[in-house]
Amino acid sequence: MGLAKLVAEAASTQGSLKKLVRLKISESREVPYLDETGYLRVSSLADMCPREEVLASNLKYVRTRTVEPDLGMIFAHGKALHWVLQNLVVGGTGALLGVWRCADCAKQYGAPAPNLQEAQSLVRRPKACECGCEDFVFREQKFVNEEYRIGGHPDGFLVLGGMPGLGVAEFKSVGPKSAWEVRNTPNLGHVVQVQAYLWLTGLKWGKILYWEKSGFGMQALFEHTVERDEDSIESIKRVIRGIWNGVKTGILPERPCTSIDCPRAVKCEMKNACFEEAA
């Protein structure tokens, strides 16, 4: 960015840091349609509408996702809490295994472990680097299933007393309303995400650790154990097969919305094409 542009941008905020944040925190990005060379993301599974994805692919339609400043701040808050859980809170317990990178010299400790049944290369957060630095950043490992063309990055791997072998870690931040909803029972979409990770990694259990954004101290943390469930995994596979079959053949999965006026349909860019046949 040239100096003239920097000066003009700074002038537009009239000396206000908050105005500058508002200008930069918003985002508008394109969402490409699926083709037969693409991959699905585990983190998108729970909120994904299979019919929407197939329609966008069939019509070669590139969708737009716009994040306004207020929503951008909510996302930033969640990312910050997630980082702290991973790198300091849980990372500092010694229960979180994975790959760590020194924040100063970038020396890496540990290595990805494709076979998690023999995961000796995964390590706890080091106490100090050879360079003397005591700050480390957790590096997530990617897992991909080529048959179903889906991949994702678990938040890490856990070793806990009383639990068999390694488990999958999933860290989530929630607002006050969502906290009441998931305090006793985890969010279904989060369970789907963990089940997908258990499928990709071959592990038998996972933990979802929630941090309530407005909570106080330890009361803001609550956890749920998710046991591997083959029926759930088969359901996930069935949905994925339907998506890729639709991308290849044009056959649309079932419509989840009952009308074009339902809340989800109102926000969907593919709603007109989706309900065209019912008009």
Side-chain angles (χ1 to χ4, degrees), residues 31-273:
V31 180
Y33 54 82
L34 291 171
D35 59 29
E36 293 186 39
T37 64
Y39 285 80
L40 297 171
R41 294 188 303 162
V42 169
S43 58
S44 301
L45 275 181
D47 296 324
M48 179 184 292
C49 171
R51 188 178 177 92
E52 177 189 352
E53 296 303 321
V54 174
L55 276 167
S57 177
N58 290 349
L59 298 174
K60 305 291 189 290
Y61 185 88
V62 178
R63 290 155 290 172
T64 302
R65 292 289 184 268
T66 300
V67 177
E68 300 297 338
D70 287 343
L71 184 58
M73 284 298 296
I74 292 174
F75 287 164
H77 191 183
K79 288 179 180 177
L81 295 187
H82 182 278
W83 190 95
V84 171
L85 281 174
Q86 196 172 50
N87 289 281
L88 300 180
V89 176
V90 181
T93 67
L96 185 66
L97 302 186
V99 179
W100 304 83
R101 182 172 294 173
C102 173
D104 193 2
C105 73
K107 178 179 174 60
Q108 183 167 292
Y109 292 82
N115 181 1
L116 289 177
Q117 308 308 318
E118 300 176 4
Q120 291 90 346
S121 62
L122 301 180
V123 300
R124 292 180 169 88
R125 186 183 189 276
K127 293 184 178 180
C129 179
E130 293 176 0
C131 72
C133 178
E134 296 181 357
D135 292 328
F136 296 86
V137 178
F138 188 85
R139 307 294 295 175
E140 295 179 358
Q141 179 179 343
K142 186 174 183 178
F143 290 83
V144 176
N145 182 291
E146 295 292 347
E147 179 184 357
Y148 286 83
R149 294 210 307 284
I150 183 170
H153 303 80
D155 288 339
F157 303 100
L158 297 168
V159 56
L160 293 171
M163 302 297 290
L166 286 177
V168 166
E170 188 62 28
F171 305 131
K172 301 291 184 184
S173 61
V174 290
K177 181 177 182 295
S178 297
W180 281 108
E181 295 172 349
V182 301
R183 186 169 292 275
N184 296 316
T185 303
N187 175 275
L188 179 59
H190 299 160
V191 173
V192 169
Q193 191 173 350
V194 172
Q195 289 292 348
Y197 286 139
L198 294 177
W199 163 39
L200 294 181
T201 61
L203 298 180
K204 302 298 183 184
W205 61 276
K207 286 276 189 182
I208 303 175
L209 182 66
Y210 289 102
W211 190 349
E212 182 185 350
K213 294 177 180 179
S214 61
F216 176 77
M218 290 298 298
Q219 294 179 358
L221 296 179
F222 40 99
E223 68 184 271
H224 296 288
T225 301
V226 178
E227 302 285 349
R228 183 185 178 103
D229 181 72
E230 297 301 334
D231 289 339
S232 296
I233 291 173
E234 181 53 39
S235 295
I236 293 169
K237 291 179 178 179
R238 190 181 309 117
V239 170
I240 296 172
R241 287 196 296 265
I243 292 173
W244 289 123
N245 181 62
V247 169
K248 182 178 181 179
T249 67
I251 298 175
L252 297 178
E254 290 185 19
R255 183 189 298 115
C257 299
T258 56
S259 76
I260 199 170
D261 299 318
C262 79
R264 179 165 187 157
V266 167
K267 298 178 181 180
C268 179
E269 292 182 62
M270 308 307 301
K271 60 180 178 293
N272 290 330

